[in-house]
Amino acid sequence: MGERPEIRVGEEFKPSPKLMKLYFIYYLLAIIFGFLPWYAPIALFAPPIVSIPLSIVFIPIIVFAGAWIPKYYSSIAYKLTEHEITWRRGVWFKYTGIVPYNRITNIDIVQGPISRMLGIASLKIQTAGYSAAKARAELRLDGIERFEELRDLIMGFVKRRRPAAVEVFEEEEPTQKILEELVKIRKLLEEYVRR
C-alpha cells in the first residue's frame, strides 16, 4: 500500500484517488439498479422502433457520465492557509470558496459503508450563521484519507482564532476609549470654565 500524502499548510492538496473509485462504484450501482432493470427488457423484447431511439438517447448519457467522473475528480482541490480553507471544483461551472477559521463552528466526519471500505471520509465544515439556516454544510472536503488528522489540524487553527463575534466586540473597544477621553475633556473644560 502506498504512502498517504501529507497535507501541508499553504500547499494545495487533492482528495484521495479512492474518491474517484467511490464515484465509479456509485456510477456502476446506478447503472445496475437504476438503468438496467427497465432498459434491458426494452432492449431485448421491445420492437426496434422503441429500443433504438431509447438506446440513442440513454447510451451516450451513460458514457458521458462515466467520462465525466475523472474530469470532475481532477477539478477538486483544497488548500489550508494560516487563516482560512480555500477550495475549488467544477468542470464547466467552476465553484470556489473561502472559509475563514474564525467562522468555523463544527466539523463532522461522514463515512458511508463504501467509503469506510475504501478508507476515506468527508469532512462537513459548518460555520457561524450558515449551519442554522441550511441543513447542509458550508464546505465539504470529500475523499480524505487522513480525515481525523485533518479535522484535528483544522480545529487547531480554529482554536487559535477568535470567533468573528469577539473580533467585532473588540473592535468596538476603541470607541469606548474615545468616549472615555471625551468625558475627561468635558470635565477639564467644565473646570476651566468655572475658574
Side-chain angles (χ1 to χ4, degrees), residues 38 52 59 63 67 74 79 81 92 97 150 157:
W38 64 266
I52 291 174
I59 299 299
V63 171
S74 66
K79 183 177 177 181
T81 69
W92 284 346
L150 181 57
F157 282 118

Side-chain angles (χ1 to χ4, degrees), residues 11-30:
E11 292 181 16
E12 202 168 77
F13 65 96
K14 297 193 71 49
S16 168
K18 294 176 183 179
L19 179 64
M20 192 164 33
K21 287 181 187 176
L22 179 68
Y23 288 159
F24 274 116
I25 290 169
Y26 288 155
Y27 170 74
L28 290 174
L29 289 173

